[in-house]
Amino acid sequence: MKNIKNNRVTIKDIAKYSGYSIATVSRVLNDSGTFYSEETYRKVKKAISDLNYQPDAIARGLKTRKTYNIAFIEPWNSEFFAEIFSGIQDAANENGYSVSIFISNFDKKQEDRNINTVLSNRLDGVIMASAVLDTNNVERLKAQNIPLVIIEKFIIDKDIPTISIKNLKISKQAVNYLISLGHKNVGFMGEPLEVGKVDSRFRGYKKALEDNSISFNQELVFVDEKFRGEKFGKQL
């Protein structure tokens, strides 16, 4: 057993250690639930634990045509996206998958590289958070039949599921709350309107001002300049 533990453990090693056939060990590893008893299951699982066996992901992928890995593509590092990733990872772990993180930092070339990596490694799915700098990348994923979910940015494609909070409604509620406290000069801070669902938040902000008969003041709108796009000024 000492020699086994010093090298990569294989199914053959587990079979030899447990005294069962390779076929039986394989069925236990795949949780097939057939052609083995509870005692056999327990003994094989103990052998797996004793030998610290780790499945060969490449070999498994060749057999199942899956990588058991999905991509989480985010625009930047933040507590917001970290919390989303945590939830994704929990769900992935429960289903035998792992999650790879890709960050674009609002760099189109980096986003392209991220998509190239996803495609070349045939990841099983993609969760794309917020900004999509190049919609062609969405089309590239679709063309390869890679499942895609987009968070916080709706696109005109009914085939792609999207997840978002009610940005306009919540933004409006936030501004109404500030106004109810007696504030009149309420500002808006954020990225350009084309990023994520910032446009919906901005419309909620303006609607709350309008409903409370407060004039919109362009000087109270602050945008992070490094994310400014050509369309921003036109969308106000």
Side-chain angles (χ1 to χ4, degrees):
M1 188 170 70
K2 183 177 180 181
N3 290 335
I4 292 176
K5 286 191 173 183
N6 288 335
N7 296 286
R8 184 178 183 87
V9 179
T10 67
I11 291 180
K12 290 182 180 180
D13 296 323
I14 296 173
K16 183 177 181 180
Y17 182 80
S18 65
Y20 291 100
S21 68
I22 293 175
T24 297
V25 171
S26 180
R27 282 193 285 269
V28 172
L29 286 170
N30 292 318
D31 283 322
S32 68
T34 56
F35 304 112
Y36 58 83
S37 66
E38 283 293 328
E39 183 181 1
T40 298
Y41 179 84
R42 180 179 57 78
K43 288 182 177 180
V44 172
K45 283 292 187 179
K46 184 177 184 303
I48 291 170
S49 176
D50 288 347
L51 298 180
N52 192 27
Y53 171 75
Q54 298 296 323
D56 188 325
I58 295 176
R60 186 186 183 196
L62 290 173
K63 183 177 180 180
T64 63
R65 294 183 176 275
K66 289 185 177 182
T67 62
Y68 294 93
N69 186 263
I70 60 177
F72 177 54
I73 300 178
E74 59 182 15
W76 70 88
N77 271 322
S78 71
E79 291 184 6
F80 175 74
F81 291 118
E83 191 165 347
I84 291 176
F85 170 74
S86 180
I88 293 171
Q89 183 171 249
D90 288 344
N93 288 341
E94 290 174 3
N95 290 277
Y97 282 75
S98 59
V99 185
S100 297
I101 300 178
F102 297 86
I103 304 173
S104 68
N105 286 321
F106 285 105
D107 182 333
K108 182 182 177 300
K109 289 184 178 179
Q110 183 59 54
E111 182 180 274
D112 291 341
R113 284 192 288 268
N114 292 342
I115 299 299
N116 288 340
T117 300
V118 170
L119 293 173
S120 63
N121 287 280
R122 296 298 303 173
L123 270 64
D124 295 333
V126 175
I127 298 174
M128 188 173 287
S130 193
V132 180
L133 303 180
D134 186 351
T135 55
N136 287 330
N137 283 326
V138 173
E139 296 302 320
R140 293 172 63 198
L141 293 171
K142 283 186 60 181
Q144 296 297 320
N145 296 315
I146 296 179
L148 171 66
V149 175
I150 293 181
I151 299 174
E152 279 299 290
K153 183 178 178 69
F154 292 114
I155 62 175
I156 306 174
D157 192 326
K158 294 181 180 180
D159 295 329
I160 300 177
T162 58
I163 301 172
S164 177
I165 62 173
K166 296 180 178 179
N167 286 275
L168 190 151
K169 179 181 179 181
I170 292 175
S171 176
K172 183 179 175 182
Q173 288 178 341
V175 177
N176 280 332
Y177 173 72
L178 292 174
I179 293 174
S180 72
L181 296 178
H183 301 293
K184 300 297 181 182
N185 295 321
V186 180
F188 180 87
M189 300 178 64
E191 297 89 4
L193 301 189
E194 61 264 32
V195 175
K197 296 301 294 178
V198 180
D199 59 333
S200 294
R201 297 171 193 170
F202 184 70
R203 284 187 283 117
Y205 162 76
K206 291 186 71 176
K207 188 67 171 61
L209 295 179
E210 180 183 333
D211 291 348
N212 290 277
S213 301
I214 298 176
S215 299
F216 170 71
N217 184 353
Q218 176 69 55
E219 293 182 356
L220 297 180
V221 177
F222 303 92
V223 177
D224 194 323
E225 291 294 332
K226 67 181 178 181
F227 298 140
R228 179 182 288 279
E230 295 178 358
K231 298 180 180 179
F232 181 76
K234 298 177 183 178
Q235 292 189 35
L236 290 178

